[in-house]
Amino acid sequence: MTIPASIRTGASSPVEWRLERRLVRYPEALGTMEERVAAIAEGRAPELVWLLEHPPLYTAGTSAKPGDLIDPDRFPVYEAGRGGQYTYHGPGQRVGYVMLDLARRGRPDLWRYVQDLENWLVRTLSRFGVQGERRPGRVGIWVAGPDDAEEKIAAIGVRVRRWVTYHGVSINRDPELSHFEGIVPCGIADRGVTSLAKLGVSVTPEELDRALIEEFERVFGDSEVRRQKAEVRRNQL
């Protein structure tokens, strides 16, 4: 499968895509994001979406509660600096680190950006016959089961610096779900965690990446074009 190195998404330059097949250590990912965000903000680099997987680890967001780290010795624990609480990353879970310049795109609205990320995940899951759903007051994407049971299949945690985003999303393709038992995922104790594999959906990493890339373009690709057209219409009134 051929993956494009960059995709034009309506901003002033193409979005670069970086697809990793190796496991990326979390400190390396943090350092790379920090450097790239600074370069984007200063106009020295294009926007970037980085798809990767990590070795097994836990991360703590800015709202993490100490009591939600049930087994602190199970895997390494890192302070992430993003919003949200504790989450797990590991093999079989695709992480998308999204570095976009919201100001240059003409929409410096963090809540709208989170909604766009949710829409991106919902559309991606639908490609594989999975109905992902939003829930009021709970960021992320959920799958409804029998007897009103719900399980989380994708998570979102973001940070913004000078209106350049980083961190991003994760989607459970086929991780070891028992690894989530060392934390209270996202601070929600009464809901489970699921994956495409647990739902009986077999998806290769390449297939998931392709869906993520194509649906990203549909959600984020023409946002600047729509904004410019709206401004023209308002000016003509």
Side-chain angles (χ1 to χ4, degrees):
M1 178 182 66
T2 301
I3 298 293
S6 62
I7 293 178
R8 185 167 299 279
T9 62
S12 58
S13 62
V15 171
E16 178 187 346
W17 286 83
R18 186 179 301 173
L19 278 62
E20 299 282 1
R21 294 296 174 225
R22 65 187 175 95
L23 297 180
V24 179
R25 295 175 58 251
Y26 198 72
E28 177 188 346
L30 284 180
T32 299
M33 282 193 288
E34 292 281 353
E35 292 176 3
R36 187 57 172 255
V37 165
I40 293 170
E42 295 166 7
R44 297 185 286 106
E47 298 171 314
L48 172 68
V49 181
W50 189 13
L51 302 181
L52 56 80
E53 295 182 13
H54 290 299
L57 57 91
Y58 297 128
T59 66
T62 54
S63 301
K65 301 174 183 177
D68 287 347
L69 182 58
I70 298 170
D71 189 353
D73 299 322
R74 188 168 189 175
F75 299 124
V77 181
Y78 296 96
E79 297 290 334
R82 55 160 174 78
Q85 303 187 44
Y86 281 104
T87 192
Y88 165 77
H89 295 310
Q93 180 196 73
R94 205 59 168 157
V95 177
Y97 290 133
V98 184
M99 287 155 267
L100 302 181
D101 188 337
L102 298 186
R104 188 175 67 192
R105 287 170 168 265
R107 53 174 187 179
D109 182 332
L110 184 57
W111 180 240
R112 178 181 171 184
Y113 170 65
V114 171
Q115 290 179 314
D116 285 343
L117 292 177
E118 290 180 330
N119 190 28
W120 178 33
L121 292 169
V122 167
R123 293 180 65 100
T124 298
L125 289 168
S126 71
R127 296 273 293 262
F128 306 106
V130 174
Q131 183 177 345
E133 300 178 353
R134 300 173 176 85
R135 289 292 180 267
R138 286 189 261 144
V139 174
I141 302 302
W142 302 79
V143 176
D147 303 322
D148 296 325
E150 294 178 336
E151 293 182 310
K152 194 168 192 176
I153 194 168
I156 296 174
V158 302
R159 187 173 181 179
V160 175
R161 179 176 297 165
R162 295 170 63 184
W163 287 114
V164 178
T165 68
Y166 55 127
H167 297 276
V169 305
S170 63
I171 186 166
N172 296 334
R173 185 183 63 82
D174 189 16
E176 176 52 65
L177 294 178
S178 66
H179 289 178
F180 285 88
E181 296 171 2
I183 57 172
V184 178
C186 302
I188 301 173
D190 60 345
R191 299 288 189 275
V193 179
T194 192
S195 66
L196 289 167
K198 183 180 177 182
L199 296 172
V201 180
S202 178
V203 178
T204 68
E206 292 79 12
E207 289 170 336
L208 181 55
D209 284 355
R210 171 59 69 184
L212 285 165
I213 290 170
E214 291 178 354
E215 295 306 326
F216 182 94
E217 169 66 5
R218 293 185 174 98
V219 173
F220 291 94
D222 63 347
S223 59
E224 180 69 7
V225 173
R226 289 197 303 267
R227 184 188 69 82
Q228 292 174 355
K229 288 182 177 178
E231 287 183 354
V232 169
R233 286 195 297 269
R234 283 197 297 269
N235 292 336
Q236 290 175 343
L237 293 178

